[in-house]
């Protein structure tokens, strides 16, 4: 028997195709991870390919871990020798080895979004920038985009030299790069940019090409331009490149993902073999039929249709709610009803378009004492107390890290004010040394005796902790750190009763260290920090704990749930703004997002929308999402019929013209067509004659002269 006998026909074809370029178009829930892992096991166990010659790349630690475990369960310890990694983890490994070629030490720090903003805030202060529109978050996002597009500060400045704001951003970008380099630090974009720079060095590239002769990429539709270049460089010599993805699940355009990478794969590799995985093992037929009906409206969708051997299943529950609170009540009533019928809380997931939509649901769940957890809002590793401890560990690992040292130099309080810190920083700049090294020369800086004592004790403790980090375990270092700085007492004094819950978070951090130490033979501090820095929003998801899950649709990708509530499905929320709805590419990405949301559901799917809700502090009237209109009526429950009847055109419009007559007169509008009015927003044409059109808006009907219509309304797309 072959390992591949457990795969279906198309999966088996994909797993057996080893030589040359291969594109596996894998629909949602079609067993792509199973196919990839069996393919790796088959290559090693039956074909005899060395596991060291195989590289498999994916996007999250969770996905990489699952793939590794599956391969090991199939072929044992040989599976451990294959590199199965995220793009960023692969880049970090490479940079730890070859980073000196680019001027980095191997213990460089990886800066997250908060760290980036701190660096930028300092630079804006140096430049005396007063424009409130130039926020740290906006500039950080712009810099990341520029890096991933391969645009240097100089190129950016030349391109936009007549715009003063661009000059500021360019100068910040330039200083930001210098600051990170001086701190021996990289942000997430740097990891990819620097990985590509290493691959531009022929000697390193050839070594890696010969090492990894068989390359697999999961979720290929999510690759950005740099990841695309990295993969193509690595695969250029042997061309044994297998990419797996689904163009219908390309939903990260805002992060730089380029759907053309998967759509144009055959152009890049003209002799590529294409295999489609269309049998879905996750959802009922009704749910899949709805997903297929929605996504077929995208021009970018390939000829791929999900099907299943499962039963038809329940119809999709569509609910029209009066307002946001009515929507929450509906969801809670259904959860309570299903719970009484025998389901667990962990069966339910509430999906929404933006994190801001979670607040009302949180209030409702708390009111009814229903356990829940939000994924993708405030993540565990972003909490202040966790960031403090990680900042200490980062400085112990990399003493050049001024960003994290600045965070902790006065935590707990050591009476170190801004002026004192400025003195030390100025001294470090004059001497050309790091901030940490300046703490070893306090006698030369001209500080008050009390400040010298406080900073001297801090420096001595940090030196002791650095010594422990070289020989002791990370958990041992952690304990010495907490006791050495008196961190628990600090939390209790600062937060009072809330201090205990924050201490629990710190203890949970210790648990994460101990768990990792059990998994690896020797966990170094550098490896631990690297692991933490690459954690994603849903890596903390625990499938065993009994709570309702709340998350954005983006964060749900790759996951599956028995019962899904898709809430807030209204135009200008989902899909987003009027601007989004008028841009075909952006609208198609929103539709792919809807497809992802629908296909997360295994057994039951609820879709709800409100007639009105508070947005940005104001009450606004809503219209249901156009994506709901794309789901065939026979797949929806009775609620849909009531909605259709309620929203059908009212009789009585004077001189109403029948459809065939409209076509005969060649009028520019048609009944049922959606439009966008400059003042009244979204509407639907419900009546028309040779002089006027009647439009149903959310707050009522209006008549507009046909001759003036083009000035006020835009045809929807």
């Amino acid at each position: 028997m072959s390992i591949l006998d457990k795969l279906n026909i198309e999966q088996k074809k994909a797993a057996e195709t080893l030589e040359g370029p291969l594109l596996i178009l894998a629909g949602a829930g079609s067993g792509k991870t199973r196919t990839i892992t069996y393919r790796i096991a088959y290559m090693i166990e039956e074909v005899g390919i060395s596991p060291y010659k195989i590289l498999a790349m994916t996007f999250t630690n969770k996905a990489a871990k699952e793939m590794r475990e599956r391969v090991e369960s199939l072929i044992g310890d040989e599976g451990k020798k294959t590199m199965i990694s995220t793009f960023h983890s692969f880049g970090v490994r490479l940079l730890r080895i070859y980073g000196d070629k680019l001027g980095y030490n191997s213990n460089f720090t990886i800066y997250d979004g908060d760290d980036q903003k701190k660096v930028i805030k300092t630079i804006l202060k140096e430049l005396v920038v007063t424009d409130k529109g130039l926020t740290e978050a906006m500039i950080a996002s712009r810099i990341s985009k520029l890096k991933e597009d391969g645009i240097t500060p100089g190129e950016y400045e030349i391109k936009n030299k007549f715009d003063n704001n661009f000059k500021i951003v360019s100068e910040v970008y330039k200083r930001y790069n210098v600051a990170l380099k001086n701190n021996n630090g990289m942000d997430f974009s740097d990891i990819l940019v620097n990985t590509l720079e290493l691959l531009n060095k022929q000697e390193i590239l050839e070594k890696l090409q010969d090492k990894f002769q068989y390359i697999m990429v999961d979720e290929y539709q999510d690759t950005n331009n740099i990841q695309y270049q990295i993969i193509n460089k690595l695969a250029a010599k042997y061309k044994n490149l297998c990419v797996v993805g689904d163009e219908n699940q390309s939903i990260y355009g805002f992060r730089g993902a380029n759907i053309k990478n998967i759509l144009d794969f055959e152009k890049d590799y003209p002799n590529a073999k294409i295999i489609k995985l269309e049998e879905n093992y996750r959802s009922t037929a009704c749910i899949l039929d709805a997903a297929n009906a929605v996504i077929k409206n995208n021009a970018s969708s390939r000829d791929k249709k999900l099907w299943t051997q499962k039963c038809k299943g329940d119809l999709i529950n569509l609910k029209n709610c009066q307002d946001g609170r009515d929507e929450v009540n509906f969801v809670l009533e259904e959860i309570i009803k299903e719970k009484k019928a025998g389901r667990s809380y962990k069966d339910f997931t509430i999906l929404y378009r933006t994190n801001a939509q979670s607040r009302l649901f949180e209030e409702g769940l708390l009111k009814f004492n229903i356990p829940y957890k939000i994924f993708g809002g405030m993540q565990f590793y972003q909490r202040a107390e966790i960031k403090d401890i990680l900042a200490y560990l980062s400085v112990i690992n990399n003493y050049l890290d001024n960003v994290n040292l600045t965070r902790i130099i006065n935590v707990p309080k050591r009476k170190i004010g801004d002026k004192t810190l400025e003195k030390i920083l100025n001294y470090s700049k004059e001497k050309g040394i790091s901030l940490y090294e300046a703490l070893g020369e306090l006698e030369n800086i001209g500080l008050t005796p009390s400040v010298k004592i406080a900073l001297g004790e801090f420096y001595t403790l940090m030196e002791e902790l650095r010594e422990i980090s070289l020989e002791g375990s990370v958990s041992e270092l952690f304990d010495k750190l907490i006791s050495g700085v008196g961190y628990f007492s600090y939390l209790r004094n600062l937060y009072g009763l809330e201090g205990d819950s924050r201490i629990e978070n710190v203890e949970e951090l210790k648990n994460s260290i101990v768990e990792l130490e059990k998994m690896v033979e020797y966990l170094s501090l550098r490896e631990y920090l690297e692991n933490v820095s690459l954690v994603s929003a849903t890596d903390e998801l625990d499938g065993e704990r009994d709570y309702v899950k709340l998350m954005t649709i983006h964060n749900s990708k790759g996951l599956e749930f028995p019962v899904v509530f898709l809430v807030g499905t209204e135009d200008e929320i989902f899909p987003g703004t009027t601007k989004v709805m008028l841009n075909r590419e952006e609208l198609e990405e929103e539709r792919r997002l809807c497809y992802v949301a629908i296909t997360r559901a295994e057994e039951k799917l609820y879709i709800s929308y409100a007639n009105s809700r508070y947005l940005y502090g104001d009450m606004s009237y809503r219209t249901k999402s156009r994506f709901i209109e794309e789901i065939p009526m026979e797949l929806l429950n009775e609620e849909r019929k009531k909605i259709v009847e309620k929203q059908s055109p009212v009789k009585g419009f004077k001189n109403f013209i029948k459809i065939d007559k409209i076509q005969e007169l060649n009028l520019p509008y048609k009944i049922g067509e959606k439009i966008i009015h400059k003042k009244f927003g979204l509407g639907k044409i419900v009546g028309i004659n040779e002089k006027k059109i009647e439009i149903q808006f959310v707050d009522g009907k209006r008549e507009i002269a046909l001759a003036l219509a083009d000035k006020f309304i835009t045809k929807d797309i």
Side-chain angles (χ1 to χ4, degrees), residues 408-433:
I408 59 168
I409 199 166
N410 207 30
V411 176
K413 297 291 183 187
R414 300 184 179 94
K415 297 182 180 178
I416 313 301
D418 289 344
K419 287 185 179 178
T420 300
L421 188 56
E422 192 176 340
K423 274 187 182 180
I424 306 168
L425 282 167
N426 288 338
Y427 178 82
S428 69
K429 287 175 184 175
E430 285 171 17
K431 295 292 183 179
I433 58 177

Side-chain angles (χ1 to χ4, degrees), residues 163-281:
D163 187 318
N164 191 50
N165 277 353
F166 280 107
K167 285 181 182 177
I168 293 170
V169 173
S170 176
E171 184 61 27
V172 174
Y173 183 14
K174 197 184 302 176
R175 294 191 185 200
Y176 172 83
N177 282 350
V178 171
L180 259 61
K181 198 71 175 281
N182 289 342
N183 288 346
N184 192 33
M186 298 186 201
D187 61 26
F188 287 104
S189 297
D190 285 328
I191 292 171
L192 297 179
V193 170
N194 290 334
T195 298
L196 183 60
E197 192 172 339
L198 284 178
L199 295 181
N200 286 330
K201 298 182 184 298
Q202 197 61 30
E203 183 185 346
I204 294 173
L205 177 61
E206 287 177 3
K207 192 179 290 186
L208 290 167
Q209 286 175 334
D210 286 330
K211 178 174 174 57
F212 300 117
Q213 296 180 16
Y214 295 86
I215 299 171
M216 275 174 271
V217 185
D218 188 19
E219 305 287 8
Y220 191 64
Q221 77 282 345
D222 294 335
T223 52
N224 62 26
N225 294 336
I226 293 186
Q227 289 160 337
Y228 168 83
Q229 291 178 69
I230 289 170
I231 288 301
N232 285 326
K233 277 184 176 293
L234 288 170
K237 186 171 183 178
Y238 294 96
K239 293 189 169 52
N240 296 324
L241 174 62
C242 168
V243 302
V244 187
D246 181 3
E247 78 288 355
N248 293 334
Q249 294 187 73
S250 178
I251 59 173
Y252 295 118
F254 67 97
R255 288 185 194 166
N258 189 348
I259 192 174
K260 290 181 180 177
N261 293 347
I262 192 166
L263 294 178
D264 293 345
F265 187 77
E266 297 107 304
K267 291 181 183 176
D268 293 333
Y269 299 93
N271 61 332
K273 186 171 183 179
I274 316 295
I275 295 173
K276 296 177 186 176
L277 305 184
E278 298 171 295
E279 182 177 359
N280 178 283
Y281 294 92

Side-chain angles (χ1 to χ4, degrees), residues 604-619:
K604 281 193 170 186
L605 174 62
Y606 294 82
I607 301 177
S608 58
Y609 67 97
N611 295 330
S612 64
R613 71 171 72 239
Y614 278 98
L615 279 179
Y616 314 113
D618 295 319
M619 173 61 75

Side-chain angles (χ1 to χ4, degrees), residues 221-460:
Q221 77 282 345
D222 294 335
T223 52
N224 62 26
N225 294 336
I226 293 186
Q227 289 160 337
Y228 168 83
Q229 291 178 69
I230 289 170
I231 288 301
N232 285 326
K233 277 184 176 293
L234 288 170
K237 186 171 183 178
Y238 294 96
K239 293 189 169 52
N240 296 324
L241 174 62
C242 168
V243 302
V244 187
D246 181 3
E247 78 288 355
N248 293 334
Q249 294 187 73
S250 178
I251 59 173
Y252 295 118
F254 67 97
R255 288 185 194 166
N258 189 348
I259 192 174
K260 290 181 180 177
N261 293 347
I262 192 166
L263 294 178
D264 293 345
F265 187 77
E266 297 107 304
K267 291 181 183 176
D268 293 333
Y269 299 93
N271 61 332
K273 186 171 183 179
I274 316 295
I275 295 173
K276 296 177 186 176
L277 305 184
E278 298 171 295
E279 182 177 359
N280 178 283
Y281 294 92
R282 176 189 299 158
S283 308
T284 62
C286 181
I287 291 168
L288 296 182
D289 288 346
N292 287 330
V294 170
I295 203 64
K296 74 177 183 183
N297 294 286
N298 269 6
S300 61
S301 184
R302 304 280 287 258
D303 183 23
K304 186 165 82 282
K305 190 174 181 181
L306 295 176
W307 62 276
T308 183
Q309 296 184 44
K310 285 188 175 185
C311 63
K312 184 76 175 174
D314 292 346
L315 292 176
I316 294 165
N317 293 279
L318 178 66
K319 179 67 176 177
N320 177 207
C321 305
Q322 288 306 308
D323 54 30
R325 293 196 179 276
D326 184 34
E327 183 177 46
V328 171
N329 290 335
F330 161 68
V331 171
L332 294 179
E333 283 170 10
E334 291 300 317
I335 288 175
I336 292 166
K337 184 170 73 179
E338 291 276 343
K339 182 75 165 64
K340 285 179 180 176
R343 285 196 184 274
S344 302
Y345 286 127
K346 66 183 179 182
D347 291 340
F348 306 107
T349 300
I350 300 171
L351 300 182
Y352 35 75
R353 180 64 183 82
T354 64
N355 276 312
Q357 292 170 260
S358 71
R359 183 182 61 81
L360 285 178
F361 291 97
E362 287 186 76
E363 290 176 6
L365 291 162
L366 283 168
K367 183 179 177 182
F368 285 89
N369 292 316
I370 296 173
Y372 71 92
K373 186 167 182 180
I374 294 177
F375 295 88
M378 169 64 83
Q379 294 177 41
F380 177 77
Y381 291 103
Q382 296 300 318
R383 298 178 188 278
E385 59 275 17
I386 303 302
K387 290 279 285 181
D388 284 347
I389 301 303
L390 293 176
Y392 265 101
L393 294 175
S394 293
V395 175
I396 292 166
N397 174 62
N398 171 23
Y399 69 84
L400 296 175
D401 185 357
N402 285 0
V403 173
N404 280 307
L405 180 53
T406 304
R407 179 187 181 98
I408 59 168
I409 199 166
N410 207 30
V411 176
K413 297 291 183 187
R414 300 184 179 94
K415 297 182 180 178
I416 313 301
D418 289 344
K419 287 185 179 178
T420 300
L421 188 56
E422 192 176 340
K423 274 187 182 180
I424 306 168
L425 282 167
N426 288 338
Y427 178 82
S428 69
K429 287 175 184 175
E430 285 171 17
K431 295 292 183 179
I433 58 177
S434 70
L435 178 60
Y436 184 85
E437 288 169 311
L439 295 179
E441 301 179 14
L442 292 172
E443 292 298 327
N444 304 326
I445 302 178
L447 304 172
T448 63
S450 62
V451 169
K452 281 183 189 176
I453 291 169
L455 285 176
E457 289 174 351
F458 170 70
Y459 181 73
T460 301

